[in-house]
């Protein structure tokens, strides 16, 4: 397999200047274009500028060329975690077509090597094509006020998205989980798992409560933390959902108080870590897929141009 060239473009009913303003916010905290939280966010080690290094998910690249409001080119440094291509680029450019019309183009070139030759047609290209079309959808939403025909995910893309979703990591119970720490004396068991909070995900811990499935009594909610009573016969237990600037953390305190509780917990504790991580991961993905697109979020924050839609 030689050099792969992949191109997408779309004519947008908005001025090049307005679309250029959106381009300049790429990878920023209010990025209106990159399709997160459904996909990993584009992040760099500094503002969008030549030399900034970063990427999205396992794909690593750096800003090689940047013409504010017109074009940005990213040079690949790693693809698929360093097992495939090194070299090549992808870029986004804006071409004026009149006072209120422009063409937005995304071009990628790379030379697959090693395992990348197999991954490109089966895994990378379906996801790449979908993500780029979602970027163009967001350009239309944010600059023109709506997208008439947004891209639809194929079954393969849905499966790849689910398989590649971030898995919770095991951490210590956060110091910021103050409601949990003050809720139970001498817990016999404690654990905590967290996932990264992507742009567009809810910051209210109450929005994450459905991960526990059953309706448990709420004991308190403050400081970004929701505390629930999850007692079972003979077992006193508390669950904390903490949302901070970077992570969502699910923590548990448990204390068997009776013989029955000790027997119950002696069996359940082995499956608890698996179930806690599974519930957190499923809820994280479900909320991400249900979240408004980056383009829609941009409309509610700051409309672009004089003829943009009003804030709603």
């Amino acid at each position: 397999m030689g050099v792969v060239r992949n191109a997408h473009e779309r004519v947008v009913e908005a001025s090049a200047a307005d679309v250029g303003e959106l381009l300049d916010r790429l990878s920023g905290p209010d990025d209106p274009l990159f399709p997160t939280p459904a996909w990993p966010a584009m992040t760099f080690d500094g503002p969008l500028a030549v030399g900034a290094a970063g990427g999205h998910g396992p794909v690593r690249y750096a800003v090689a060329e940047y013409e504010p409001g017109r074009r940005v080119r990213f040079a690949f440094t790693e693809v698929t975690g360093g097992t495939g291509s090194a070299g090549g680029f992808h870029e986004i450019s804006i071409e004026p077509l009149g006072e209120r019309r422009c063409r937005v183009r995304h071009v990628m070139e790379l030379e697959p090597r090693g395992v990348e030759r197999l991954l490109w047609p089966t895994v990378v290209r379906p996801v790449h094509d979908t993500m780029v079309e979602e970027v163009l959808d967001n350009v239309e939403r944010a600059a023109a006020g709506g997208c008439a025909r947004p891209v639809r995910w194929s079954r393969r893309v849905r499966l790849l998205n689910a398989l590649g979703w971030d898995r919770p990591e095991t951490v210590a119970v956060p110091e910021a989980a103050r409601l949990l720490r003050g809720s139970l004396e001498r817990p016999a068991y404690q654990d905590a798992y967290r996932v990264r909070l992507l742009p567009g995900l809810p910051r209210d811990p109450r929005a994450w409560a459905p991960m526990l499935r059953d309706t448990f009594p709420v004991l308190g909610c403050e400081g970004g933390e929701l505390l629930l009573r999850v007692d079972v016969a003979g077992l006193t237990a508390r669950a904390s959902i903490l949302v901070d600037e970077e992570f969502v953390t699910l923590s548990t305190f448990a204390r068997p108080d009776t013989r029955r509780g000790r027997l119950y917990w002696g069996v359940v504790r082995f499956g608890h870590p698996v179930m806690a991580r599974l519930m957190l991961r499923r809820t994280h993905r479900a909320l991400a897929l249900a979240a408004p697109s980056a383009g829609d979020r941009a409309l509610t924050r700051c409309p672009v141009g004089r003829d943009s839609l009003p804030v709603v």
Side-chain angles (χ1 to χ4, degrees), residues 70-99:
R70 296 184 57 190
R71 182 176 73 94
V72 59
R73 172 174 289 201
F74 308 100
F76 288 121
T77 54
E78 292 181 16
V79 180
T80 61
T83 61
S85 304
F89 69 89
H90 71 107
E91 75 170 32
I92 304 175
S93 61
I94 302 166
E95 176 190 356
L97 298 178
E99 185 178 350

Side-chain angles (χ1 to χ4, degrees), residues 6 58 63 76 110 118 148 153 178 182 190-191 197 206 255:
N6 180 282
V63 180
F76 288 121
L110 77 162
L118 296 176
W153 287 13
R178 297 182 180 87
Q190 58 180 279
D191 65 11
L197 189 65
R206 290 169 292 192
R255 186 187 64 207

Side-chain angles (χ1 to χ4, degrees), residues 56-73:
H56 63 273
V59 186
R60 303 286 91 190
Y61 42 83
V63 180
E65 301 174 26
Y66 181 36
E67 300 174 48
R70 296 184 57 190
R71 182 176 73 94
V72 59
R73 172 174 289 201

Side-chain angles (χ1 to χ4, degrees), residues 191-261:
D191 65 11
Y193 309 97
R194 74 181 186 186
V195 287
R196 189 165 296 278
L197 189 65
L198 300 170
L201 285 175
R203 265 55 180 174
D204 187 341
R206 290 169 292 192
W208 297 82
M211 79 170 74
L212 298 176
R213 297 182 181 275
D214 296 323
T215 304
F216 293 109
V218 174
L219 299 179
C221 185
E222 62 180 57
E225 181 187 12
L226 182 71
L227 182 68
L228 301 103
R229 184 173 68 218
V230 292
D231 293 349
V232 182
L235 179 73
T236 301
R238 302 289 182 264
S240 162
I241 301 171
L242 176 68
V243 182
D244 59 28
E245 291 299 315
E246 293 188 78
F247 300 99
V248 180
T249 306
L250 174 63
S251 306
T252 304
F253 275 5
R255 186 187 64 207
D257 296 318
T258 66
R259 182 173 181 274
R260 179 181 178 183

